[in-house]
Amino acid sequence: MGLGRAGLACAAALLLLLLPALGAQAAAGDFDPYGVLGVGRSSSQADIKKAYKRLAREWHPDKNKDPGAEDKFIQISKAYEILSNEEKRANFDRYGDAGESQGYSQHQQRQFHHFHEGFYFDESFFHFPFNSERRDSSDEKYLLHFSHYVNEIVPDSFKKPYLIKITSDWCFSCIHIEPVWKEVAQELEALGVGIGVVHAGYERRLAHHLGAHSTPSLLGLVNGKITFFHNAVIRENLRQFVENLLPGNLVEKITDKNYIRFLSNWKKENKPHVLLFDHMPVVPLLYKLAAFAYRDYLSFGYVYVGLRGTEELSSQYNINVYTPTMMIFKEHIDKPADVVQARDMKKQLIDDFLSQNKFLMAARLTSQRLFAELCPVKKSHRQRKHCVVLLTGEGDKFAEAYEAFLTFAVANTKDTLKFAHIYNDRQPEFADALLMDDEKYRGKSAVVILERRNNAGKVAYKTLEEAWRGSKEDNFILLDLLDQLRTDPGFLSSETVLVDLNDELAPMFLIRWLYSVLDYISDCWDSLFHSNWREMMPLLSLLFSALFILFGTVIVQAFSDSNDTRDSPPSEKEETAAKTEKNDASFSKESSSRIPKKGFVEVTELTDINYNSNLVRLRPGHMNVVLILSNSTKTALLQKFALEVYTFTGSSSLHFSFLSLDKHREWLEYLLEFAQDAAPIPNQYDKHFLERDYTGYVLALNGHKKYFCLFKPHRSGDEGGTLALCEDYDSSLHTEARGKPSCSPGSRFLKNKLHKLSFWMERLLEGSLQRFYIPSWPALD
């Protein structure tokens, strides 16, 4: 019996040792990258890459609408990731490992090493860590979608900065930064920074909108402006990055020398002023974030109590230097209107404190927004908000009346009652609507009690019968009216419509324009400094276009003849070229009216260097007419192409190029896949798979709208010629039998390939050719 138990224990231990190997074999059996790509184990890297591109185009979710296309595309990407890496491929061939471990032998050693410490299971044999199902759950609450970003995140970025991470599946670098990201995201969110995560695989539109061309990418968003993070992903760099997103003038450093000036600016800025006393030498990020959120309502200053030169200030307001203290100053700078002290200032405590002190005791109405916040529209009989407004003038003459009104406001503060004042000469329409140009108020101050009835400007109000002088009698009369208002809502018997207030503190147009220019220059310098050429391309394009127009105009004017070349008769060379194009009487008549502006045809080669400028970023309305040729047919086809398109060179919207079939056959075949009805391509098992001849094909490419038209070469066997239109197709795309003289580059057949191209060009300009649309322009490798 004892021997049986010992045997069972040994069998169990042996099973546990073999379990990882069985898991590896099961994983290898479930996923075979060779089978997914349809290649053999002896296939070269070129064959693997070709198979991957073919399958990726076929199963890409944007092109293939099959419900399982996305899963199939992920499997194809996973298989190519393993087989394209020699080390991972060797691991798979040797151990059946998909690339996540160092090989079975090393893994088995680790299992044996930990066997005496306890039973050990490695989950990597059963789960692939880069699958979307294994994404960290902490990122789920931060995931952003395009509509959510546009409608909520961007407007909210004017109140707080956002730190956004762009990630994706199959991203190894994303795994490396994850611990730092978790720590920083949790810390910054507690301070008031917005956190967002964009999954590029599922939110391609949003990732493209943000300009994230690789993963992982980190960026900041503030005031609707995007800034990319370029440094090493460590905690200190990310905190500094977020701090640098904020404007530099949010918080002013305050000492004994400037605190009186700072606090006295309440009248000019029409804002309460906030002072934070702390023993930190630098302004805390939490305080900067609060200053950014409330910058439209409050002005912020910071006092470093450990600095020499702040003793008078600390003594003046009896500050405890060991405890952070925040004070709000309003119309009176000798004592604060409100104070809060706490050893650990939290975001919620600061928000509550600042939101309760956003306005002065008797704020000046300087804009319609401020008027709407101080005096909101009545929503119900229980939510009545009344405003007591002093209509006065500027200067010492009206100072006594204002001081008396301010004293009354401080003594009668209530939640349902707000006090404000307005300068008659700065808001004349507002004053005239309430005072009705009454002579007894001219040159004097007046007090009006009002209630806003709707957003269209309708108000109910009552004006004190006599001008406001600030006497005790005036105070008693106003207090009696407010008591009647509390018991009788119908007390406000007069009604009028107020126009929107002028924004008195808005900067001048020239200043706003200057700030915009400075921001734009700062953005350009930042992009240039970090060599972010993708973001710099629009600026460089604009700069070179401006230089080209400037210097091009000067050069043309300097070297142009006194006679206008457009009115001069065509040269002898132009007449000769035009005669060669006269195939029939009607075409001769049309071509004679289209005289080119120059005596030659500019045909440039389409390469990976000029691919973006000549096609991808081609201006709207412009097209690039591309001739397909090979090295052996280059000279003959270019000469014929120039003769055929010569009469169309006068159009500034047409550009002419040629593409080498020997270099870019794969790019051409990708485009022709979208024109299967006009130019079907035989599959790779066709005996003519490697003999397809595309020389003489002409593609008219519209880079902006992403479509092309196709000209198929004329067949030599047609009598009288066949018009090579986009919609006309001959299924015979193969080359002639080898050895026939008609296939040689110098034969008559080669010269006739572009026969009738000029008629095709006419139909291209008319817009009557069939168009083949593509989702995006492929890369020109």
Side-chain angles (χ1 to χ4, degrees):
M1 186 71 176
L3 181 62
R5 291 181 177 177
L8 290 175
C10 292
L14 181 62
L15 179 61
L16 289 173
L17 283 173
L18 294 177
L19 186 59
L22 295 175
Q25 293 177 2
D30 292 339
F31 183 77
D32 180 15
Y34 293 103
V36 172
L37 295 183
V39 295
R41 289 183 175 268
S42 60
S43 300
S44 64
Q45 287 293 335
D47 295 334
I48 292 173
K49 182 178 180 181
K50 186 174 183 179
Y52 166 71
K53 285 189 174 182
R54 176 175 55 82
L55 291 173
R57 287 198 300 263
E58 179 182 355
W59 290 98
H60 196 284
D62 290 342
K63 184 178 178 182
N64 194 320
K65 302 305 180 183
D66 189 279
E70 186 169 356
D71 293 336
K72 181 69 174 177
F73 183 76
I74 292 176
Q75 289 185 357
I76 293 169
S77 301
K78 177 181 175 183
Y80 180 68
E81 182 182 358
I82 296 172
L83 298 184
S84 61
N85 187 299
E86 293 296 345
E87 183 180 354
K88 294 182 180 180
R89 183 178 179 182
N91 276 341
F92 183 85
D93 293 340
R94 192 174 304 169
Y95 310 112
D97 182 14
E100 290 308 306
S101 68
Q102 299 297 323
Y104 171 67
S105 59
Q106 298 178 11
H107 184 78
Q108 189 177 25
Q109 292 174 7
R110 293 199 305 269
Q111 302 294 337
F112 186 78
H113 177 73
H114 291 281
F115 176 72
H116 295 288
E117 301 174 6
F119 297 115
Y120 176 86
F121 294 93
D122 190 347
E123 291 185 356
S124 64
F125 278 94
F126 304 96
H127 299 281
F128 194 75
F130 302 103
N131 191 285
S132 60
E133 296 179 357
R134 290 294 305 265
R135 287 202 308 269
D136 195 333
S137 59
S138 62
D139 282 349
E140 294 292 335
K141 64 178 181 178
Y142 302 129
L143 287 178
L144 302 180
H145 305 287
F146 186 82
S147 59
H148 178 222
Y149 171 81
V150 173
N151 297 325
E152 297 183 27
I153 301 300
V154 172
D156 198 37
S157 69
F158 289 84
K159 298 178 182 178
K160 65 181 180 181
Y162 273 82
L163 182 64
I164 300 175
K165 177 183 71 170
I166 291 88
T167 184
S168 65
D169 293 332
W170 320 101
C171 174
F172 292 88
S173 300
C174 301
I175 304 299
H176 296 160
I177 71 171
E178 197 63 30
V180 179
W181 167 259
K182 285 183 182 178
E183 179 186 0
V184 174
Q186 184 177 5
E187 177 185 355
L188 294 180
E189 186 179 26
L191 298 179
V193 178
I195 305 296
V197 176
V198 178
H199 194 287
Y202 301 99
E203 287 293 333
R204 298 185 185 91
R205 182 183 179 189
L206 178 54
H208 178 74
H209 177 77
L210 295 174
H213 304 288
S214 62
T215 55
S217 293
L218 297 176
L219 58 90
L221 175 70
V222 65
N223 291 334
K225 172 188 169 184
I226 297 172
T227 304
F228 277 85
F229 176 78
H230 301 283
N231 297 325
V233 183
I234 59 178
R235 176 179 174 274
E236 292 74 15
N237 288 348
L238 286 173
R239 279 182 58 94
Q240 189 62 42
F241 172 69
V242 171
E243 192 165 349
N244 291 340
L245 292 175
L246 301 173
N249 57 349
L250 284 174
V251 181
E252 184 177 350
K253 294 291 185 67
I254 304 300
T255 63
D256 294 340
K257 297 180 179 180
N258 62 353
Y259 82 95
I260 295 180
R261 175 194 57 79
F262 174 76
L263 297 178
S264 299
N265 278 340
W266 68 266
K267 196 167 188 178
K268 178 181 178 182
E269 298 176 0
N270 197 37
K271 295 178 181 178
H273 284 58
V274 187
L275 281 182
L276 174 65
F277 297 82
D278 203 349
H279 57 275
M280 301 294 292
V282 296
V283 182
L285 179 57
L286 175 62
Y287 191 56
K288 287 186 177 181
L289 292 169
F292 180 75
Y294 291 91
R295 66 190 184 280
D296 292 337
Y297 303 97
L298 303 164
S299 293
F300 292 81
Y302 179 75
V303 182
Y304 173 34
V305 294
L307 180 67
R308 180 177 298 178
T310 60
E311 297 86 353
E312 178 186 342
L313 182 58
S314 301
S315 176
Q316 170 77 15
Y317 300 111
N318 195 22
I319 299 299
N320 183 355
V321 296
Y322 300 105
T323 304
T325 304
M326 188 176 294
M327 293 183 171
I328 292 276
F329 294 85
K330 297 186 177 180
E331 284 89 347
H332 300 110
I333 67 173
D334 55 338
K335 62 179 180 179
D338 203 353
V339 181
V340 63
Q341 277 187 340
R343 290 192 175 275
D344 188 14
M345 286 279 187
K346 297 292 186 181
K347 177 181 182 301
Q348 188 61 47
L349 175 64
I350 294 178
D351 285 343
D352 293 341
F353 180 69
L354 297 179
S355 61
Q356 295 172 6
N357 295 278
K358 291 181 0 181
F359 306 107
L360 296 170
M361 298 304 299
R364 181 162 62 91
L365 298 179
T366 56
S367 66
Q368 185 65 21
R369 179 189 63 82
L370 181 60
F371 181 44
E373 291 196 58
L374 283 174
C375 306
V377 175
K378 180 191 71 172
K379 296 181 179 179
S380 66
H381 291 290
R382 295 183 179 181
Q383 296 179 344
R384 291 179 177 273
K385 297 286 185 179
H386 298 98
C387 283
V388 182
V389 182
L390 172 68
L391 291 85
T392 184
E394 297 182 72
D396 297 337
K397 176 182 176 181
F398 302 94
E400 183 179 352
Y402 167 74
E403 290 296 336
F405 181 78
L406 178 59
T407 303
F408 184 89
V410 172
N412 294 275
T413 302
K414 297 178 182 178
D415 292 338
T416 59
L417 203 61
K418 294 294 181 181
F419 292 86
H421 72 283
I422 195 169
Y423 289 154
N424 295 339
D425 55 343
R426 297 196 184 189
Q427 305 289 346
E429 295 180 348
F430 186 95
D432 292 344
L434 294 175
L435 299 181
M436 300 296 182
D437 280 336
D438 198 330
E439 289 295 333
K440 65 181 177 181
Y441 298 114
R442 192 171 301 278
K444 300 178 182 179
S445 301
V447 172
V448 177
I449 305 172
L450 61 86
E451 179 186 79
R452 295 181 68 214
R453 295 297 174 89
N454 58 34
N455 289 319
K458 184 178 181 180
V459 297
Y461 70 99
K462 183 175 182 61
T463 306
L464 268 67
E465 295 184 359
E466 299 295 332
W468 175 267
R469 298 181 301 275
S471 62
K472 290 185 178 180
E473 183 181 356
D474 291 340
N475 280 266
F476 287 137
I477 294 175
L478 178 57
L479 187 61
D480 182 59
L481 292 177
L482 293 178
D483 288 338
Q484 294 183 44
L485 180 64
R486 187 168 57 252
T487 57
D488 182 13
F491 174 71
L492 305 178
S493 56
S494 303
E495 289 187 350
T496 188
V497 176
L498 299 175
V499 298
D500 289 349
L501 295 173
N502 303 322
D503 193 350
E504 299 178 16
L505 302 180
M508 298 174 58
F509 170 77
L510 182 60
I511 297 177
R512 294 199 305 268
W513 179 84
L514 181 60
Y515 285 156
S516 301
V517 171
L518 291 176
D519 289 341
Y520 189 71
I521 294 175
S522 176
D523 294 344
C524 297
W525 177 257
D526 182 67
S527 299
L528 183 63
F529 180 76
H530 294 291
S531 300
N532 193 349
W533 298 112
R534 287 182 181 271
E535 299 177 14
M536 284 294 294
M537 283 306 297
L539 175 64
L540 293 176
S541 177
L542 177 63
L543 179 61
F544 282 112
S545 298
L547 292 176
F548 177 78
I549 294 173
L550 178 62
F551 291 102
T553 304
V554 174
I555 293 173
V556 169
Q557 290 179 351
F559 291 95
S560 63
D561 296 331
S562 58
N563 296 328
D564 190 352
T565 56
R566 290 176 296 180
D567 298 332
S568 62
S571 63
E572 184 177 2
K573 186 182 294 186
E574 292 175 345
E575 292 178 354
T576 304
K579 289 180 180 179
T580 60
E581 297 303 311
K582 294 181 179 180
N583 297 306
D584 52 52
S586 62
F587 180 70
S588 175
K589 182 177 180 180
E590 293 177 2
S591 62
S592 62
S593 62
R594 186 188 298 275
I595 300 175
K597 296 182 178 180
K598 47 185 176 290
F600 61 93
V601 180
E602 295 180 359
V603 184
T604 58
E605 183 177 2
L606 193 62
T607 64
D608 56 342
I609 297 177
N610 60 12
Y611 181 65
N612 284 338
S613 58
N614 287 1
L615 176 58
V616 179
R617 293 191 176 91
L618 207 59
R619 288 179 295 173
H622 287 239
M623 299 188 73
N624 196 342
V625 182
V626 181
L627 168 67
I628 309 300
L629 48 76
S630 61
N631 292 335
S632 59
T633 62
K634 182 176 181 179
T635 304
L637 284 179
L638 277 178
Q639 291 177 353
K640 182 63 176 176
F641 181 71
L643 290 174
E644 289 287 333
V645 303
Y646 176 75
T647 55
F648 301 93
T649 56
S651 175
S652 60
S653 62
L654 291 181
H655 309 269
F656 301 97
S657 304
F658 70 89
L659 183 78
S660 175
L661 186 61
D662 302 319
K663 300 178 183 178
H664 308 295
R665 173 183 289 269
E666 187 176 350
W667 180 86
L668 176 64
E669 290 178 348
Y670 174 80
L671 253 63
L672 294 181
E673 288 181 5
F674 295 92
Q676 290 290 330
D677 54 338
I681 301 174
N683 57 46
Q684 60 179 330
Y685 302 106
D686 194 288
K687 64 180 181 179
H688 300 291
F689 179 72
L690 299 176
E691 300 178 4
R692 287 173 287 169
D693 182 20
Y694 297 116
T695 57
Y697 276 63
V698 178
L699 285 76
L701 308 173
N702 190 313
H704 180 68
K705 294 188 177 181
K706 295 184 180 63
Y707 73 80
F708 66 93
C709 292
L710 175 65
F711 171 86
K712 184 178 69 66
H714 169 69
R715 295 178 58 200
S716 59
D718 291 345
E719 295 293 335
T722 302
L723 200 61
L725 303 178
C726 287
E727 59 268 31
D728 296 335
Y729 169 69
D730 182 2
S731 62
S732 177
L733 293 175
H734 309 140
T735 59
E736 300 290 337
R738 296 181 179 178
K740 288 188 178 182
S742 61
C743 292
S744 61
S747 66
R748 181 180 181 84
F749 170 76
L750 183 59
K751 295 180 180 179
N752 288 336
K753 278 196 170 186
L754 299 179
H755 184 56
K756 301 288 185 176
L757 176 61
S758 56
F759 284 95
W760 182 84
M761 291 291 298
E762 289 286 347
R763 295 195 60 185
L764 175 67
L765 295 179
E766 293 172 0
S768 59
L769 295 178
Q770 183 179 357
R771 300 176 179 180
F772 303 104
Y773 288 87
I774 62 173
S776 62
W777 293 111
L780 190 67
D781 298 330

